[in-house]
Amino acid sequence: MMNQVPIREDAHAVVAAQWGRRLAVQLGFSLVEQTAISTAILEIARNIAKYAGHGQITLHTLADGACVGIEVIAADSGPGIADIALALQDGYTTGKGLGLGLPGARRLMDSFEIVSQPGAGTTITMRKWRTSTDHRDKPGGL
Amino acid sequence: MDYSAIQKLENLLLVSVPRDLVDDDVIRMRRDILQAVRKYNSQIVLLDFSQVDICDSFFGRFIYSTAQMTKLMGAKIILSGLQDAVIETMVELGMALPDVDAVLDLDSALALSRAQAVQGSLVEGAASGPPEA
């Protein structure tokens, strides 16, 4: 299963996050996991709209034996990130944000990888695996 | 796009934060909040998050900047109605918001604002009343 959402403005980032949540719901992720995935997508998709101006978010379903996961690929052809280590530091921002976008998204997901070169755009690949099938929210359960 | 409703409720200014927040909304919403604080002389601005199921750092910046602005008008921001999954994600994300208080729901917010109103009138009464013998 594959979904692609073009990102040209802030409102598209919201759409990408909603698609991510929908896929996470379909795959049986828990409510907290759904929220983490959609929030991570929103963070990096807003970054595309803000810094690159144009790009896309692609969602894939992962299946590895009994494990089910979601892969999010965020690609843009914007200015790129000169110092990736710096961009992944909490509190670092070149814009007007809180500087939590990239490091925050990384914490919310299981894996997070950035490929970027100044002038050649940025591609972020991040994945999250469903913890277990009985982790779904049960009414009345804890 | 649904737009946040801003209402006066007793001493509170009640702001329903919309489920999705984009750039332009934030600026408009902040200005509307400041205008309403001035109009009603609100001491507490309650940001009701019960509709919100994703709270990224962009929301965090909205909360933080609104809190700083209303503080300069003598009003305090209090968050209300944050969902469990949203709270967990906010903290994972690193959104600490140290200067912003929160309550569980609208009932707690009303109780808090009524308690403050009583306290405020007591302090006023004590200040303007005759000195104790």
Side-chain angles (χ1 to χ4, degrees):
Chain A
M1 183 178 170
M2 199 185 101
N3 290 304
Q4 195 169 70
V5 186
I7 307 291
R8 284 184 306 276
E9 56 181 76
D10 214 44
H12 300 158
V14 172
V15 173
Q18 285 166 352
W19 280 39
R21 182 184 288 272
R22 204 176 309 151
L23 182 58
V25 170
Q26 282 167 10
L27 295 175
F29 280 86
S30 73
L31 181 58
V32 170
E33 289 168 336
Q34 293 162 26
T35 308
I37 291 165
S38 52
T39 306
I41 293 172
L42 190 55
E43 289 287 352
I44 57 167
R46 283 208 217 262
N47 269 357
I48 292 177
K50 198 197 287 177
Y51 297 111
H54 184 263
Q56 73 266 342
I57 300 277
T58 314
L59 304 174
H60 300 272
T61 301
L62 303 172
D64 182 3
C67 297
V68 174
I70 287 182
E71 182 179 69
V72 180
I73 300 176
D76 68 62
S77 47
I81 301 170
D83 188 338
I84 291 174
L86 188 62
L88 281 170
Q89 268 178 28
D90 269 325
Y92 176 77
T93 178
T94 57
K96 288 202 234 157
L98 294 172
L100 293 172
L102 292 183
R106 180 161 75 160
R107 275 194 296 271
L108 293 174
M109 302 296 280
D110 293 327
S111 73
F112 187 95
E113 192 188 325
I114 302 185
V115 178
S116 181
Q117 272 186 332
T122 303
T123 301
I124 295 175
T125 305
M126 52 187 197
R127 293 175 166 190
K128 194 167 185 75
W129 298 94
R130 196 180 65 191
T131 46
S132 73
T133 45
D134 60 3
H135 198 253
R136 296 185 200 201
D137 297 283
K138 285 171 267 187
L142 273 179
Chain B
M1 170 65 61
D2 66 338
Y3 184 57
S4 74
I6 300 179
Q7 297 166 280
K8 180 182 165 356
L9 180 66
E10 297 189 4
N11 302 314
L12 298 172
L13 192 67
L14 175 60
V15 181
S16 302
V17 179
R19 190 166 169 270
D20 303 314
L21 206 54
V22 295
D23 277 345
D24 301 339
D25 300 340
V26 165
I27 296 166
R28 196 168 48 152
M29 215 163 102
R30 257 192 336 227
R31 285 188 184 150
D32 288 355
I33 291 171
L34 297 189
Q35 271 179 16
V37 166
R38 189 173 295 284
K39 181 174 172 190
Y40 299 118
N41 190 17
S42 311
Q43 310 286 300
I44 297 177
V45 179
L46 192 72
L47 297 184
D48 178 24
F49 271 76
S50 51
Q51 303 300 311
V52 174
D53 56 8
I54 304 182
C55 185
D56 69 339
S57 60
F58 184 75
F59 275 89
R61 180 164 166 73
F62 160 68
I63 297 167
Y64 184 71
S65 58
T66 307
Q68 289 201 309
M69 289 177 191
T70 56
K71 191 179 178 185
L72 293 172
M73 301 176 95
K76 188 177 169 59
I77 289 280
I78 296 180
L79 308 184
S80 148
L82 283 166
Q83 298 169 21
D84 294 2
V86 171
I87 290 171
E88 207 169 307
T89 306
M90 282 171 77
V91 172
E92 276 293 296
L93 201 59
M95 219 190 290
L97 298 172
D99 301 329
V100 181
D101 288 336
V103 292
L104 200 55
D105 52 27
L106 292 184
D107 283 342
S108 316
L110 272 176
L112 181 76
S113 103
R114 283 170 185 166
Q116 282 200 0
V118 169
Q119 208 177 28
S121 64
L122 288 179
V123 171
E124 257 173 47
S128 58
E132 284 183 41

